[in-house]
Amino acid sequence: MTHESLWAIFINASLINNFVLAYFLGICPFLGVSGKMATASKMGGAVTFVMLISSVCAYALHSLLVAIGAVYLQLISYIVVIASAVQLVEMFIKKVSPTLFRALGIFLPLITTNCAILGLALFQTNKGYGLLQSVVYALGAGAGFTLALILMAGLRERLEYAETPNVVKGTVLTLLIAGILSLAFMGFAGLGSN
Amino acid sequence: MNSATSTPPRIGSGRMITAMTATGALCALFIVLAYQGTLPRIEYLKAKALEKAIVEVIPGMTSQKVFRLQPDGTLQEVQEAAKDASLVYAGYDLKGNLAGVAIEASGMGFADVIRIIYGYNPATEQIIGFRVLESKETPGLGDKIEKDPAFLENFKTLPIVLSADKSRVQHRIVAVKHGKKEKAWELDGITGATISSRAVGNILGTSTEHIVPVLHKNLPLLENLAKQ
Amino acid sequence: MSNPISQGQNNKGFWSALAQSQSTNEFLKGLWKENPVFVQVLGMCPTLAVTNSARNGLAMGLATTFVLLMSNTLVSLLRKVIPRQVRIASYILIIATFVTLVDYAIQAISMELSKALGAFISLIVVNCVILGRAEAFASKNTVGRSIMDALGMGFGFVMALLALGSVRELLGYGSIFGLLVFPPVYQEWVIMILPAGGFFTLALWLFVFNWYKTHKKAL
């Protein structure tokens, strides 16, 4: 399974099997922060960034666990290491670039325990990706997440001025739109094969 | 949390570390116990599932041996079926004759990676069995590759046309539209699952081109082992 | 769906007496008033991802309930021992442990089931319901009450997953728990098993809940 081309991995993770719309990962921020375009794009950037870090961490960690024959510690070590790595990076950014920190900072702690991050780490391990493949997979997943979030935010900004019945306002309406988006994304299926 | 919100009690880092270490040790104990306890049963189930798949794609086999494909293009027998991509499973009938070789292959389908296993009989130079191990193809459409009887009929006897010295495949397997099959090595596709059936053709084509010549090169090894 | 409540109205004496006891309250709130999925809209990933059949939904729900029960118990037991500063980290450790346990247990029970649920079993770790209950309830309450709370929330979660899974399986395959309900002439709504169907079904259930709530107030 490790012979998949990098391009196929990217397309697969971002469009065909979009993390939000096909795997339902990261639904909480998807429902929560997709109200405004500006926040949505920043959140997308932050998630992509965290995904990259955790992807590399997970790759290194998995190699280590396999080497010492302790794969049963996979889940527990993934979550601990990813959470600490993000914390460290957060402190680092705060010190080095306060502007970037203001843009991403408030989202970082929120994201750490987001299912999309852990999901990415688990999926890449299951698929047996190498380091480069993992990084591309993380980039694709992040791009897909950002795309879904921005599309959603655009639609919701418009709907704000539409007259909708009270019972569907909020989550119900957002879920309906997500369903329609998910249908639309099914059109991308088949891109990866020839 | 009432006491904590007003004045958090001052706690030395020593106690924090002790608490975390203790929790960690307790957790590790639980995990190791669960792992040890379930391991035999999980391995048994895995082996059984694999065996079932192999028996299905090599009709008439009663025993099997596992070989690893070495990077230099030779086969080597291995005792344990470690999780490793380049394994082939040789199946033997009651008399100890080679009944066929089961090979795992995978590739990109319509929705996600499709994993298959197929049986190849070097004596008749045919594919003799096929089964989808894993696919996330669209229910009702793409997943016909798993159960469409006409499509599965393809794999009862699908010839692999080899060059004279058996060092390469002359005609690569390809899937064609349903009802358009003309050549022996073509796969009759499924209406409504065009891309999925083409993907299966593609996976088989790539895998057979790579592995079938290797099998023929190593045929003495595969057959001899059974006679011992 | 509203079993405990509607029965309560039927024979008031017994049920109201029972409802006044606190532990029953802890249990019932999870089922209805604070249902994790329909009211709190938490734990969405597994809710949507594995509910393409009633069986998968049930298995996922039970696995989550087990983890919730164990983590609530342990967190409540250790609530006076674990220093406040490292509590979240310890909760995550505890939760991850029990999820690993469940993962191995499911693999040992049925390969097929573990394949169907896939990585989503491991993802129970990040189900906000579990960490949420540990932090909001078990860290401040006695073991007994925490157990009741976990059971209530857990069964509320199971109920929600079953509700989603049954609707999706019924419309998508024409069956429930694998048993054919509709005659074979029924043309399956494939979309219900696809991801989009998950979003639509959840939207439908939330709509029903919202409607019920506003309707009740109007009465």
Side-chain angles (χ1 to χ4, degrees):
Chain A
M1 231 173 286
T2 41
H3 56 258
E4 282 171 73
S5 77
L6 296 179
W7 179 241
I9 290 175
F10 185 82
I11 292 290
N12 195 4
S14 58
L15 297 177
I16 306 173
N17 288 311
N18 186 287
F19 264 50
V20 181
L21 298 171
Y23 286 158
F24 305 107
L25 294 172
I27 294 280
C28 303
F30 180 65
L31 297 180
V33 231
S34 63
K36 289 212 182 64
M37 196 69 112
T39 359
S41 52
K42 273 181 197 163
M43 180 71 176
V47 166
T48 314
F49 179 68
V50 174
M51 275 181 168
L52 275 176
I53 299 172
S54 47
S55 169
V56 175
C57 286
Y59 177 78
L61 204 55
H62 182 69
S63 315
L64 179 74
L65 288 180
V66 169
I68 60 171
V71 185
Y72 46 85
L73 290 177
Q74 175 171 310
L75 184 65
I76 202 166
S77 54
Y78 272 17
I79 192 148
V80 170
V81 169
I82 290 174
S84 349
V86 174
Q87 288 269 301
L88 283 179
V89 171
E90 191 190 336
M91 290 179 208
F92 179 75
I93 296 182
K94 198 174 178 180
K95 194 106 189 169
V96 174
S97 163
T99 354
L100 186 65
F101 181 75
R102 268 198 297 279
L104 297 181
I106 43 164
F107 295 112
L108 287 178
L110 263 178
I111 299 164
T112 319
T113 50
N114 176 337
C115 25
I117 308 297
L118 186 66
L120 174 97
L122 292 170
F123 285 146
Q124 78 175 39
T125 314
N126 282 354
K127 288 175 182 241
Y129 285 156
L131 180 59
L132 193 58
Q133 283 172 320
S134 300
V135 170
V136 173
Y137 189 58
L139 273 178
F145 183 84
T146 314
L147 182 65
L149 212 61
I150 287 180
L151 283 176
M152 194 69 187
L155 289 167
R156 281 180 70 178
E157 276 186 358
R158 292 225 148 192
L159 276 171
E160 223 161 84
Y161 302 104
E163 276 190 38
T164 45
N166 269 332
V167 269
V168 300
K169 268 203 180 117
T171 322
V172 177
L173 196 60
T174 316
L175 282 171
L176 283 177
I177 304 171
I180 296 167
L181 269 181
S182 166
L183 270 184
F185 267 65
M186 277 176 59
F188 289 118
L191 264 186
S193 54
N194 37 5
Chain B
M1 210 111 333
N2 299 333
S3 67
T5 36
S6 48
T7 44
R10 291 191 63 85
I11 291 172
S13 53
R15 202 178 142 208
M16 278 192 247
I17 291 171
T18 322
M20 284 305 290
T21 321
T23 323
L26 189 66
C27 292
L29 181 72
F30 273 128
I31 291 180
V32 171
L33 281 181
Y35 176 71
Q36 298 283 359
T38 52
L39 190 64
R41 166 99 181 137
I42 292 174
E43 301 229 300
Y44 166 75
L45 284 178
K46 269 190 190 154
K48 222 173 87 174
L50 181 69
E51 201 183 300
K52 203 178 139 222
I54 295 173
V55 170
E56 208 168 296
V57 297
I58 311 177
M61 72 153 258
T62 52
S63 61
Q64 61 155 357
K65 286 199 163 67
V66 188
F67 294 89
R68 177 177 286 128
L69 182 60
Q70 305 292 102
D72 60 355
T74 57
L75 290 177
Q76 193 190 37
E77 192 184 0
V78 285
Q79 290 307 322
E80 258 177 66
K83 203 187 167 197
D84 191 321
S86 47
L87 291 180
V88 297
Y89 309 91
Y92 304 93
D93 63 14
L94 273 178
K95 286 184 208 132
N97 295 322
L98 185 64
V101 182
I103 300 134
E104 266 187 59
S106 66
M108 190 64 201
F110 185 66
D112 207 336
V113 172
I114 302 177
R115 275 182 60 227
I116 60 163
I117 187 166
Y118 65 93
Y120 174 75
N121 186 349
T124 56
E125 296 175 13
Q126 281 172 336
I127 286 181
I128 49 174
F130 166 85
R131 191 185 137 113
V132 177
L133 291 176
E134 204 181 316
S135 94
K136 292 200 185 75
E137 302 304 279
T138 326
L141 297 169
D143 72 346
K144 282 186 193 162
I145 54 167
E146 293 177 41
K147 43 201 170 198
D148 187 74
F151 183 66
L152 296 179
E153 192 65 32
N154 277 313
F155 305 103
K156 293 223 169 113
T157 50
L158 183 67
I160 308 285
V161 186
L162 294 161
S163 61
D165 59 350
K166 302 192 174 170
S167 65
R168 60 188 184 85
V169 175
Q170 193 110 35
H171 296 286
R172 187 189 156 103
I173 293 178
V174 281
V176 294
K177 274 196 180 152
H178 181 60
K180 292 271 163 64
K181 173 171 168 147
E182 287 169 348
K183 310 272 172 31
W185 59 85
E186 284 174 348
L187 260 182
D188 194 6
I190 311 169
T191 323
T194 317
I195 297 186
S196 302
S197 49
R198 210 190 294 160
V200 169
N202 211 357
I203 297 168
L204 272 179
T206 312
S207 170
T208 47
E209 265 186 346
H210 174 60
I211 259 184
V212 167
V214 176
L215 293 181
H216 279 283
K217 205 172 87 189
N218 293 291
L219 204 53
L221 173 77
L222 289 172
E223 281 173 342
N224 280 343
L225 267 167
K227 299 268 159 63
Q228 279 165 16
Chain C
M1 296 242 350
S2 55
N3 265 343
I5 308 278
S6 59
Q7 277 173 13
Q9 283 157 355
N10 288 342
N11 38 63
K12 257 182 187 139
F14 172 70
W15 277 98
S16 62
L18 201 64
Q20 263 151 27
S21 93
Q22 210 163 19
S23 55
T24 324
N25 240 351
E26 307 300 359
F27 181 71
L28 289 182
K29 73 171 195 281
L31 289 183
W32 187 257
K33 244 188 291 171
E34 295 177 25
N35 186 294
V37 174
F38 292 138
V39 180
Q40 302 184 54
V41 202
L42 287 175
M44 285 295 109
C45 311
T47 310
L48 292 162
V50 300
T51 50
N52 49 9
S53 75
R55 193 183 68 136
N56 288 356
L58 182 66
M60 186 57 164
L62 290 179
T64 311
T65 306
F66 172 78
V67 176
L68 190 55
L69 182 62
M70 298 311 283
S71 77
N72 252 15
T73 312
L74 209 59
V75 166
S76 176
L77 274 175
L78 298 176
R79 70 184 188 280
K80 298 216 173 90
V81 188
I82 297 176
R84 208 184 118 68
Q85 289 84 342
V86 293
R87 71 186 191 289
I88 298 284
S90 345
Y91 298 164
I92 290 179
L93 269 181
I94 291 170
I95 295 169
T97 306
F98 288 112
V99 173
T100 313
L101 247 76
V102 166
D103 191 11
Y104 282 122
I106 288 183
Q107 279 185 45
I109 292 167
S110 155
M111 281 308 255
E112 227 176 285
L113 192 61
S114 101
K115 235 171 147 184
L117 299 178
F120 287 98
I121 287 292
S122 305
L123 287 174
I124 295 178
V125 174
V126 278
N127 188 329
C128 353
V129 175
I130 298 177
L131 191 59
R133 286 338 279 175
E135 165 72 4
F137 198 92
S139 64
K140 307 173 202 164
N141 286 291
T142 57
V143 179
R145 291 182 62 194
S146 300
I147 289 179
M148 289 316 280
D149 175 73
L151 283 177
M153 286 292 159
F155 285 125
F157 195 66
V158 170
M159 210 167 75
L161 291 194
L162 258 181
L164 269 138
S166 320
V167 169
R168 289 179 71 184
E169 191 183 341
L170 186 67
L171 296 175
Y173 291 113
S175 61
I176 283 191
F177 283 107
L179 293 170
L180 222 53
V181 175
F182 290 154
V185 282
Y186 172 71
Q187 182 65 49
E188 293 97 349
W189 300 11
V190 172
I191 184 183
M192 294 311 279
I193 321 164
L194 298 176
F199 285 116
F200 289 139
T201 317
L202 183 60
L204 178 87
W205 276 115
L206 286 178
F207 172 80
V208 170
F209 258 67
N210 282 353
W211 184 82
Y212 174 79
K213 259 190 281 177
T214 46
H215 197 72
K216 207 169 71 171
K217 264 180 214 147
L219 281 175

